[in-house]
Amino acid sequence: MALEQLLELSVEADTPEDHELGLGEDSLKVYQATGMVAAQLDVGVEEAFSRLRGRAFSEDLTISTVAARVLDGTVVFIPSGDEGTRPDSGHDEER
């Protein structure tokens, strides 16, 4: 009975707009880019988000700008010490 009441309340409740949830277009880009960086570096999302923020800070850009560049493939994060074919300068690479 309690479950039915909760379901009824959730159906009757007004759903907030995306911007009320903090899910604007820029936020969604940052979330997507964080996932891509996590996959590129094989790290957790907290570390990936920190790397995005660090990149934005070091280049005096917004995190949204860096996220957009990750999504369009112009910025790629390369793990340090990886045996990949790209030369490792100790920094993330930009194509």
Side-chain angles (χ1 to χ4, degrees):
M1 188 178 345
L3 179 59
E4 287 178 14
Q5 289 176 343
L6 284 174
L7 289 172
E8 284 180 34
L9 286 174
S10 67
V11 169
E12 293 170 3
D14 290 331
T15 304
E17 298 295 323
D18 284 349
H19 67 276
E20 292 177 24
L21 294 173
L23 297 175
E25 186 176 332
D26 284 347
S27 294
L28 293 176
K29 284 181 187 178
V30 172
Y31 295 144
Q32 286 179 310
T34 299
M36 289 177 66
V37 172
Q40 291 170 3
L41 297 176
D42 194 26
V43 297
V45 291
E46 289 179 3
E47 173 67 17
F49 185 68
S50 292
R51 297 294 292 269
L52 275 175
R53 283 191 324 201
R55 181 68 173 261
F57 178 79
S58 70
E59 295 185 8
D60 197 28
L61 299 170
T62 66
I63 194 166
S64 296
T65 299
V66 176
R69 291 178 181 179
V70 169
L71 293 177
D72 71 16
T74 58
V75 171
V76 177
F77 287 77
I78 306 294
S80 299
D82 193 15
E83 62 276 348
T85 58
R86 292 188 183 189
D88 184 18
S89 63
H91 299 289
D92 300 317
E93 299 293 324
E94 185 167 350
R95 289 196 251 172

